Amino acid sequence: MRQAYQTILLVDHVAEAIDSIVDACNQLDLPPVKISTAFSSDYALELLEEHSFSLVIVGVSERLKLVDLQHLATSQAPKPILALLPDSEGNQVMAALRKGASNVFLQSEILDQGPAFSLAIKSLLNQAELIEQNLHYREELEKSLAELKADQQAAHQIQKNMLPATDVQLGAVRAQYLLIPSLYLSGDFVDAVKVDDKLTLFYLADVSGHGASSALVTVLLKNMTNRLLRNYRRQSSFDILSPKDVLHRINVELLDTGLGKHLSMFIGLYNEADASLSYAVGGHHPMPILHDRDGCRFLEGRGMPVGLFHEPLYDERTLQLHAEFEITLFSDGIFEVLEESNMEAKEQRLIDAVSGTKGGGPNSIRDALLPSTIDAAPDDIAIMTICRQ
């Protein structure tokens, strides 16, 4: 808590100045001032370590040298210090200023130039007030940043707990992924779950924007899909059996939140019984890459972003897969770190990386595409693979 008054520390034999200083504080438009005294440099330094003073006034003398003034000025910084020189030391004014004094008066001037001395004190106390305000704001900012960091750490842990294992076997298929967030929290999200003995649902979503607000939407997304899964198992809703219907449900609920957030999403449903893949696209780019014995190619499909339109169009497609395959999904953040000059070249680079790694999974694909370290990714990056071997 900030003090309701300012404080002045008088150092050494400046008793003749005390009355003038008190008068200056009483006559000028100043907040309440508390005055403390110290009669040695060592004691003054102890006080400065233990307390914060708005202004230090130092009487330079045989006992208190300019070097002591320098030590006091260093300890008092960044707040001001006023030096009072003996009448015979007028030629030391520049030296005192070089040692850190904010202003200098000869002791005889305290009485001879009373108004000027009072105004000097007022000016230095006003300067100290600004510095104290800035220090207070800085302390409050540091406190707020510490609280924000704690909140982000908690949110990061929540988001981490919502994600599936980075490498998990789901029946006949293996799901793997990696996330490279541009900030502490990610707006990219992936999931892969068993719907029943034969069906496996997987998706990659990319929420607009970055950071906490986008991460909040991933929490909502996880909750929505979990609810659809529970409804299916309770036989109260079968929307989860249709990727297109899942997109419509998420679209409605995201609009109802009023968060002003939207997302792109690819969602797939793999059926082990007949080795088929049903999928739908919600404004997602790039499209997933299918790698099998027939080669490497992008899946086809189109659809509008999720959470932008009240009546979006999504088409659902079904594809027969071979006994062995790998489906690789990317968020569009991958394009931001590729050096190719146009989209066609970037897409070809993805095809080449997936083909070249031959089922090595997300980490191998990342190594083929990205430098060993990314100091500051401009956008979240997610890579997910669904494979059967």
Side-chain angles (χ1 to χ4, degrees):
M1 181 180 296
R2 297 179 60 202
Q3 297 181 143
Y5 54 86
Q6 290 185 284
T7 55
I8 296 176
L9 176 62
L10 302 179
V11 185
D12 204 39
H13 297 288
V14 290
E16 65 275 16
I18 293 179
D19 291 341
S20 298
I21 294 168
V22 172
D23 288 342
C25 295
N26 290 332
Q27 295 173 13
L28 297 172
D29 183 17
L30 292 171
V33 175
K34 179 180 179 180
I35 301 175
S36 301
T37 58
F39 295 101
S40 71
S41 175
D42 290 341
Y43 182 50
L45 288 171
E46 290 180 12
L47 290 176
L48 287 171
E49 288 182 2
E50 298 173 359
H51 307 282
S52 176
F53 292 93
S54 305
L55 172 63
V56 174
I57 300 177
V58 180
V60 177
S61 65
E62 289 294 326
R63 296 177 55 192
L64 200 148
K65 307 294 185 180
L66 287 177
V67 66
D68 298 311
L69 172 67
Q70 184 177 21
H71 294 156
L72 291 167
T74 300
S75 184
Q76 170 70 352
K79 288 184 283 186
I81 188 165
L82 173 62
L84 299 179
L85 299 177
D87 296 343
S88 60
E89 300 295 332
N91 60 342
Q92 293 296 310
V93 170
M94 291 304 301
L97 292 173
R98 292 191 182 99
K99 295 297 184 181
S102 306
N103 202 343
V104 177
F105 270 83
L106 297 179
Q107 292 180 7
S108 63
E109 292 178 335
I110 296 175
L111 296 177
D112 296 342
Q113 299 185 27
F117 183 65
S118 299
L119 288 174
I121 292 177
K122 179 179 181 180
S123 176
L124 294 174
L125 287 174
N126 286 339
Q127 177 183 337
E129 172 68 11
L130 292 175
I131 294 171
E132 288 163 352
Q133 287 178 358
N134 289 336
L135 291 174
H136 173 71
Y137 295 149
R138 179 176 177 178
E139 290 172 359
E140 291 297 312
L141 178 59
E142 290 176 348
K143 180 181 177 181
S144 297
L145 290 176
E147 293 174 351
L148 177 60
K149 183 177 180 180
D151 289 344
Q152 286 186 324
Q153 289 173 339
H156 175 72
Q157 190 61 43
I158 291 172
Q159 190 176 52
K160 182 179 178 181
N161 291 341
M162 292 190 310
L163 289 164
T166 55
D167 188 344
V168 60
Q169 191 72 32
L170 300 168
V173 297
R174 179 186 184 187
Q176 297 174 275
Y177 73 91
L178 63 84
L179 292 175
I180 305 174
S182 60
L183 299 173
Y184 195 69
L185 299 172
S186 176
D188 286 357
F189 194 76
V190 301
D191 205 359
V193 295
K194 288 289 291 181
V195 176
D196 56 29
D197 291 342
K198 298 300 181 182
L199 298 174
T200 298
L201 181 80
F202 64 93
Y203 62 82
L204 187 153
D206 182 356
V207 183
S208 60
H210 319 287
S213 60
S214 297
L216 174 61
V217 176
T218 68
V219 177
L220 297 176
L221 178 63
K222 177 67 173 180
N223 180 64
M224 294 175 200
T225 53
N226 278 350
R227 188 165 68 253
L228 290 175
L229 183 60
R230 290 194 301 270
N231 290 343
Y232 169 73
R233 290 172 178 172
R234 291 195 302 239
Q235 302 294 297
S236 62
S237 167
F238 299 94
D239 287 342
I240 202 166
L241 299 181
S242 167
K244 179 178 67 174
D245 290 345
V246 173
L247 290 182
H248 278 291
R249 285 290 298 272
I250 295 172
N251 184 76
V252 170
E253 297 200 26
L254 191 54
L255 285 172
D256 287 345
T257 66
L259 292 174
K261 286 285 185 178
H262 65 277
L263 57 88
S264 65
M265 187 173 183
F266 177 92
I267 181 168
L269 187 67
Y270 177 69
N271 190 335
E272 295 180 25
D274 59 4
S276 66
L277 172 69
S278 299
Y279 65 88
V281 184
H284 193 76
H285 185 246
M287 286 292 290
I289 296 173
L290 174 62
H291 188 199
D292 57 19
R293 70 188 186 193
D294 294 331
C296 230
R297 68 273 190 196
F298 286 105
L299 296 180
E300 297 181 352
R302 59 186 301 178
M304 303 169 73
V306 182
L308 272 183
F309 306 99
H310 287 280
E311 296 183 2
L313 298 176
Y314 304 118
D315 63 344
E316 183 170 311
R317 303 194 179 198
T318 300
L319 182 68
Q320 287 299 129
L321 299 177
H322 294 298
E324 295 185 0
F325 64 86
E326 180 184 53
I327 301 171
T328 303
L329 300 86
F330 298 92
S331 64
D332 63 4
I334 192 69
F335 289 136
E336 300 293 332
V337 294
L338 298 182
E339 297 179 351
E340 283 71 16
S341 59
N342 58 69
M343 187 57 65
E344 183 178 357
K346 290 176 185 286
E347 290 178 340
Q348 186 59 49
R349 177 79 182 280
L350 298 183
I351 290 284
D352 293 342
V354 171
S355 177
T357 54
K358 298 179 180 179
N363 290 313
S364 296
I365 295 170
R366 175 200 57 196
D367 294 342
L369 289 171
L370 307 178
S372 57
T373 59
I374 300 178
D375 295 330
D379 195 3
D380 300 323
I381 299 172
I383 305 174
M384 183 182 193
T385 60
I386 304 293
C387 70
R388 179 173 182 174
Q389 297 176 329

